[in-house]
Amino acid sequence: MEKKEIRFKINGEDTVISIKPNKTLLEMIREDLKLTGTKEACDHGECGACTVLINGVPVNSCLVLAMEAHGKEILTIEGLKQDDRLDPIQEAFIQNTGMQCGFCTPGMIMSTKALLNRNPKPNDDEIKEAIAGNLCRCTGYTKIFESIKDASSKIGGK
Amino acid sequence: MEEINIGDYSLLGKSIPRIDAYEKVTGEAKYAADIELPGMLWCKILRSPLPHAKILNIDISRAKRLTGVKAVCTAKDFKGFRWGWMPITRDEPPLAEDKVRFYGEGVAAVAAIDEETAEEALELIKVDYEELPGVFDPEEALKEGAPVVHDYRPNNISWEFHMDFGDVEKGFKEADLVREDRFATGRVITGFLEPPAAIALWNSSGITIWAAKQSPYFVYRHLAQCFNLPLNKIRVIQPFVGGGFGGTKNDSVAGDFCSVLFSKMTGRPVKFVYKMEEVFLTCRRRHNAIIYNKMGMKKDGTITAMQSRLIADGGAYTAIGPLTMYLTGCISTLPYKLPNFKHDAYRVFTNNPVGAAMRGHGVTHTRFAAEIQMDMMAEELGLDPMEIRLKNAIEAPYETINKVTIFSCGLKDGLLKLKEHPLWKERKKENKDKETISGVGISGVAYLGGARQRGYQSCAAVLRLCEDGTVEYLTGATDAGQGSDTVLTQIVAEELGLSIDHVDIQRVDTAYTPCDAGSYGSRVTALAGEAAMKAAKDLKRQLAEYAAKEWNVSSEDIVFKNNKVYPKHMPDKAIPFRKLAQIACYSGVGAVIIGRGYSQYGIEPYDFEKGIGNAGTAYSFTSQLTRVEVDKETGFTKCTDMIIAHDCGKPLNPGLVESQNQGASVQGLGQAIYEEFVMDRGRTLNANLADYKMPTAVDAPNIEVIHILTDDPKVPYGAKEASEGAIVSSPPSVISAIHDATGIWFKELPVTPEKIALALREKKKE
Ligand code: FES
Ligand code: FES
């Protein structure tokens, strides 16, 4: 299959890449860009481990073609840290033990990022709804909820 | 930071943030699938489309000719190697030999330059099968004339285990009420999000494999046996692990053997990552079991006897099944006084995927049956479910009839806390509206921690003092997500009086780390924790001698605290720990200080044939309240609250203990009402995360964990198990809550909305 050139911004950096049109965004991120923080678990849009933001909107990158990234801004877990300063969401997940094995964590944090960007003070139901597509088998979610609430309060919510 | 006073400690009892949290929130943490090596090939496995069939011929010639394919292998290349938990049960080959025994079993494998080519090559392999009649139900498999899965077990009984203590017949005679019921537990999977993966390299130094394992020393031995190499040529390196929960990641998978073999054949590194569908179709799952339970009870609720017959679906191979059978019975004598007990467990071969260990191993089945039956009998006798538990609960010290010894027990304490909880006290006051009915259920269970399999259990720690006063900590224990790296580091730092960032723990690398049994049976804090404590004391003892010389005092009088060292009663003389390290490392020719320790708990033997003695080092006790809301029309059940009173002795890191309880209880909720494989003649029909429903954030209840503190002399700092009790307590408390709401007892898991709606309709008719 012939490769096509696409341009986009990922984690703030302008990027040009030639890619097979049938590659998924997840494959491009992990295999071509070597950003392995984004995880693959189900590869079918059922678990949220591969969540990244396209223009601020959370997507399951295993369901999106890489070509879709053309002209857009992609944010992955690697792009949250600013000059060695963690995002308040990352801080909150650390302080509230918002993970065990950590395999769902990048996706969970990216979904949280999208949520708090559009709604800095979500209520409990809004939090649950926002991460309903992110499976976690380890934590039972309680400490993830606590992490998100803590992040929300730090970001300037109540 | 949350803190529980468990003694005069600076780090223990505090919810120190996980030491691996930074790597996990930044995406830095590398899991097996994230690792790449130059020149790497991809390994893919061809899987059987039939559940039971003779393999007549495998033609790999076309696959071999495909451009990009570097090697193809079949069972022949493993020269008859088979693995299994006990020498007499080694019945599983990496790839099927003369016949396939379950749908999805590996029959051949390919190594190619990329994943796509490997997949394409699989389609070019031609296998001729002769289909054999299959058997898919364990009770059917026991019948005369049923298809035989393994010739060495002509009656399909893979393993059996029997216990007989006291006199059950006498016990039933003494009872005022005797009940017999049939219970069933479901077909469920561990459900880790990270599929099995590894990257293997074979070269002149032997085998190196980066593998997603929660017990890397299992695959270490399997590879040595399979490839006939000495253990010092096997190097298993532990990346971050994306969840384990027993079974698959405690064992080897076909991909491990094939990728190593391919690397040997091609001289290149070889990687495999299972697809989620492969996980669901072929990986180890919990045995589903049928439990015929009989219990005798006096009018006042005293239990006089219990007899259980358990028939478990073992699937196509033995795996760790014998231990599963042991665990279904050995602690049935807990947590309630039981003077007479008989247990007969049969693990039966079928043409289903393999049944093996999963969190709450073995105990979940029989405790579910016993808890529900006890509740049913209490109801018949007009007794309160809380009171009947309080009446029968054991108290420490205690020895069961099969000589399980209990030195600490927080069951009664936990139950009493739950009894006073508003959720329990106000449960009858709720206004039940027309559509939904609510109910509250209870359970009380025990689980073993510091578990020992048969034989070898060695578990050690090595601490290397660096000259700047920091410490390198080598352990063979694996953190598969549970947080053991953090707790173990807390222990080392506590003993040395250092802050936690002065101690650096290494993930397992069998070339350097000391041997360890693995992460299972809630053993790490108890056993690796003991080793860590002893190694730290050993290091401290050596350093104290240098300090004693400096101050001319006895080495016993040296205090290590707050990164400082001083003679007892003379804190003003304190010098930094770093300074003492320098004194030691630079004096004379310079010392090399290494602290060593190994676990010696639980070395007394137990009787694996008869079920006598301690398979664990100490026992946790968990009691749980669960509240559900049931939709009367649809049967849809929402679990709203769980209150878990958990006695883990002393929580060394309360936040991690809570997280374990929360995770386990939600996993248990999955087993109770959501999760089940839909099977058709050995084939799993819902082999994906959309159709196999695991609890999501929306399904998760509010969970409150109450720490019940006890003091157990058998484990370091009194810390008992914290990860498996709540997966045992969760299903019975959920089912008892559904009963409280609907008045119906459900005896087969999972209790799906369809089952509830149907039963409610039936009930209305009555
Ligand atoms: S890997 Fe994309 S949703 Fe599961
Ligand atoms: S922390 Fe393991 S899946 Fe969420």
Side-chain angles (χ1 to χ4, degrees), chain A residues 26 39-50 60-63:
Chain A
L26 176 62
K39 299 300 172 211
E40 173 178 339
C42 71
D43 204 23
H44 279 87
E46 295 153 1
C47 74
C50 63
N60 288 327
S61 60
C62 67
L63 289 185

